Amino acid sequence: MVVRSGKTRFLKEFPTSLHEGTGAVFLGAGVSMAAGYPSWSSLLREIGEELGLSSGDIYDLAALAQWHIRESGGATRVRNVIKTEIGKDLPVPEALEIIARLPVRHIWTTNYDRLVERAFEAIRRPVDVVSGSKDLSLKAKAGAVRLYKMHGSVDRLDDIVISTDDYELYRSKRGAFLPLLQAHLTGMSMLFVGLSLTDPNVRHVLSMIRESFSDAPPEHFAIVRPPKADDFKNPDEYKARAAQHALWAKDLQRYGLIAVEIDDYDEVPALLKQVERRVAKHRIWVSGSWPIEAGDAKAATLYRLSEAIGRIIGANGLSLVTGSGVLVGSASISGFLEALRADGGWDIDQRLVSRPFPQPAPGDTTDKALWSAHRAELARNSGTVVFLGGSKMSGGSAVVADGVLEEFEKAKAAGVFLLPVGSTGGAAKEIAETLRGSHWPSTGADARRPTDDELAALSDETKTNDALLAIVEKIIARQQK
C-alpha cells in the first residue's frame, strides 16, 4: 500500500502553492462519476453489445469505440450515446463546488461534461473554456479561470477524443494543448482528482507526462481510492484489482505524482475543505469602521493603526481581505499596498481580496440580505479577522456598528480566528468582552481567539499603537505556524 504520509505532505504543500498562485487542478473521470455520469465501461456497454462484446471485459475502451466506428462506418452512434448520457445536467458534486471557490487559475480535464462550468456559474465566477486547439489562440477573458477540456466537450461532439484514432492522432489534431500542459506541469503544483486505473484518458495524459519528463519529473499530487470488496462481484476479481491498484499507485511516482490515498470518495470534499481553510489561513480580514463625521481625535489614531496592520499583512507575505469599511478599510488597504510596493511584489490581483459593499443610490434602502451574503463570503475567504473600531453615526451620535457585529457572527460560523483590538472601541470592544473567558480555545492548533491576557492587553486604552501592533503581529505570526 502507498504510505499515507502523502496526505500530510499534500495538506502542507498544495495550499501554499494555491496561495502563491502556482496551484492547478486536473480532473479525471472519477469526478464525473461522483455526479452520477456513467463510467467509460458503462457508457460503451450498448456499443459493445452491438459488436457482440461486453465492455466490462474490454480493457482498451478506446479500441472498442474504434471498432464500432469502423464497423458502422462513422462515429455518429458513439457521439449520440455520449450526447444522451453526458449531456444531462446532473447535480454538481460538492468537491467541484469547493474547487470553484479555490484561488486556482488553471483547470485541466479530460471529461466531456459541463460540471466545472456549472460550478463556476453557480457562484458567478467567470470561466474561460478551451475545448479545441483553435480556442487557445483566442484572447483569455479578463479575470477568468481557464478550463482546458483537452479531449473536447459535450457541446462540441464533432471534436471529441474517443477512439484509438483520436488518441494516436492527438499530436497532429490537438497538439497545441501539449506545450501548455507541459509548461503547467513544469512550473505549477498540479492536483489530480478522480484518477482511475481504467480511464484511457488518464493513461493518455500520463504517457504525455512521461514523454515530456523522462527523468526526474516535477512533483504533483493525485487523490486515489483503493478498490473495495463491495465494488466487485466476487473476491477473486476484487483481489486482482486491488493488487493492480497497489502497483499502479506506486507507479504514479514515475510521473511525479504523489499518491494521496483515501478510503472512500466521500472523503474528497472534506479533504478539499481542509485545503480551502489552509489557503484562507494566509488571508487576514480587517473588519471595522469609524464615522469620519464624528470629528473626534480617535479617527486619526484608528486610521494610523489600521494602516499599520495592513502594512504588517503585506510585509509578511499574507493576503488582505477587506470589505472597504469606512476609514478602517481604506487605511488598511493603503498600508497593505505600501508594503507590497516596498517589497517589489505587485501581485495585487492574488493577494488583495477586496469585496466593497454595494452602496444604495440616494433614497434607496440597503439590501440587507445581499450585505449578509457579502459578509459570509468575506468570512469564508479569511483565516483570521482583525476587528478595529466598529462604530457609525445614528441620530447625531456615534453608536456600535451592528454590521461589524454581524461580521463577528459570520466569522464565528466560518471557523475564523477572531482578533479584536478592544481599545479601539465600538464593536471591537464588545467582541473582546464577549471572547474573554469564553469557551472558545485560545491555544493549540484549534485556537479561535487570543488568550485572555492578550485580549486584556489589546483592550487597554492606555497602550500606544506601537504596543498594540506588537501584540497583533505576534498573534498573526503564531497563527501561521
Side-chain angles (χ1 to χ4, degrees):
M1 294 296 290
V2 176
V3 179
R4 294 275 177 161
S5 60
K7 184 182 294 186
T8 301
R9 186 171 172 186
F10 164 67
L11 288 174
K12 180 180 179 181
E13 296 182 11
F14 191 66
T16 300
S17 296
L18 287 173
H19 172 67
E20 295 173 348
T22 58
V25 175
F26 194 108
L27 304 173
V31 176
S32 297
M33 290 168 62
Y37 289 112
S39 65
W40 263 74
S41 179
S42 297
L43 183 68
L44 297 179
R45 185 182 63 252
E46 290 185 10
I47 294 296
E49 290 173 352
E50 292 172 12
L51 295 175
L53 302 170
S54 170
S55 62
D57 296 332
I58 304 297
Y59 187 71
D60 190 347
L61 294 171
L64 177 59
Q66 181 68 45
W67 299 337
H68 189 280
I69 291 171
R70 185 189 63 199
E71 292 300 312
S72 64
T76 301
R77 176 76 172 101
V78 176
R79 288 172 181 165
N80 279 333
V81 169
I82 293 173
K83 180 180 179 180
T84 300
E85 298 298 329
I86 307 297
K88 306 171 184 176
D89 278 353
L90 298 180
V92 176
E94 186 182 6
L96 269 186
E97 293 177 341
I98 299 168
I99 289 172
R101 299 195 301 258
L102 293 175
V104 62
R105 297 297 181 90
H106 302 281
I107 298 177
W108 289 81
T109 186
T110 51
N111 301 338
Y112 309 130
D113 57 68
R114 295 191 69 258
L115 286 172
V116 177
E117 295 94 310
R118 290 170 50 224
F120 277 78
E121 289 167 0
I123 60 173
R124 298 182 180 180
R125 186 178 178 188
V127 60
D128 194 22
V129 181
V130 180
S131 62
S133 293
K134 293 181 179 178
D135 296 338
L136 289 167
S137 63
L138 300 178
K139 185 177 180 181
K141 202 181 300 180
V145 173
R146 293 211 99 182
L147 171 61
Y148 306 95
K149 305 183 80 167
M150 59 184 298
H151 283 183
S153 181
V154 69
D155 47 16
R156 291 173 63 176
L157 289 173
D158 60 330
D159 188 33
I160 59 171
V161 175
I162 183 68
S163 66
T164 304
D165 269 353
D166 297 325
Y167 286 106
E168 292 178 349
L169 299 175
Y170 191 92
R171 188 171 295 280
S172 62
K173 292 185 176 181
R174 303 175 71 87
F177 282 97
L178 301 182
L180 187 57
L181 176 60
Q182 181 177 351
H184 287 182
L185 289 168
T186 302
M188 295 186 176
S189 178
M190 188 88 75
L191 169 62
F192 289 76
V193 185
L195 291 193
S196 169
L197 169 66
T198 59
D199 184 351
N201 288 342
V202 168
R203 296 202 304 274
H204 183 220
V205 172
L206 293 180
S207 69
M208 289 189 289
I209 295 174
R210 187 63 177 162
E211 179 183 334
S212 301
F213 307 101
S214 59
D215 184 42
E219 289 188 333
H220 306 285
F221 297 96
I223 298 176
V224 295
R225 169 191 175 272
K228 301 293 180 183
D230 293 344
D231 298 338
F232 301 93
K233 297 177 181 178
N234 59 71
D236 289 339
E237 188 179 354
Y238 160 66
K239 185 177 179 180
R241 184 56 61 85
Q244 289 181 54
H245 172 87
L247 294 170
W248 175 70
K250 290 180 181 178
D251 201 43
L252 290 177
Q253 296 175 14
R254 289 196 303 126
Y255 308 100
L257 271 63
I258 298 170
V260 181
E261 282 212 328
I262 55 175
D263 293 322
D264 200 274
Y265 289 124
D266 290 343
E267 294 179 35
V268 175
L271 189 63
L272 292 175
K273 281 183 179 178
Q274 288 189 63
V275 171
E276 185 177 26
R277 290 314 306 161
R278 292 187 183 215
V279 171
K281 193 174 182 179
H282 297 283
R283 297 171 176 168
I284 312 294
W285 177 14
V286 179
S287 165
S289 61
W290 201 264
I292 300 174
E293 61 269 32
D296 56 4
K298 195 164 190 175
T301 301
L302 183 56
Y303 185 93
R304 288 191 289 270
L305 180 64
S306 303
E307 189 175 40
I309 288 177
R311 197 177 297 120
I312 287 172
I313 294 169
N316 285 279
L318 303 172
S319 298
L320 173 67
V321 178
T322 177
S324 302
V326 178
L327 189 142
V328 170
S330 58
S332 60
I333 293 173
S334 175
F336 178 75
L337 295 181
E338 181 184 331
L340 262 61
R341 285 195 297 269
D343 189 44
W346 276 91
D347 47 350
I348 299 173
D349 60 329
Q350 295 176 11
R351 291 179 56 193
L352 178 59
V353 184
S354 181
R355 302 287 189 273
F357 284 89
Q359 300 297 322
D364 292 345
T365 57
T366 300
D367 187 337
K368 292 185 178 180
L370 178 61
W371 279 36
S372 183
H374 208 67
R375 291 185 171 106
E377 172 72 6
L378 287 165
R380 186 189 58 74
N381 274 286
S382 310
T384 297
V385 55
V386 180
F387 295 98
L388 299 173
S391 184
K392 66 179 183 179
M393 295 300 292
S394 178
S397 60
V399 299
V400 172
D402 51 0
V404 177
L405 291 178
E406 184 185 359
E407 290 171 5
F408 168 59
E409 295 298 329
K410 296 294 186 185
K412 276 201 306 182
V416 177
F417 185 87
L418 309 163
L419 205 173
V421 182
S423 62
T424 57
K429 183 178 180 179
E430 287 196 12
I431 293 168
E433 292 171 351
T434 299
L435 292 179
R436 283 183 69 182
S438 71
H439 69 281
W440 298 103
S442 59
T443 58
D446 297 324
R448 295 287 305 279
R449 64 175 179 89
T451 65
D452 285 347
D453 288 343
E454 288 169 335
L455 286 169
L458 290 169
S459 297
D460 185 350
E461 297 183 12
T462 67
K463 287 192 178 296
T464 63
N465 274 0
D466 287 344
L468 294 171
L469 286 168
I471 300 171
V472 169
E473 187 165 19
K474 177 183 176 182
I475 295 171
I476 288 176
R478 186 172 71 220
Q479 285 304 111
Q480 296 305 308
K481 294 181 180 178

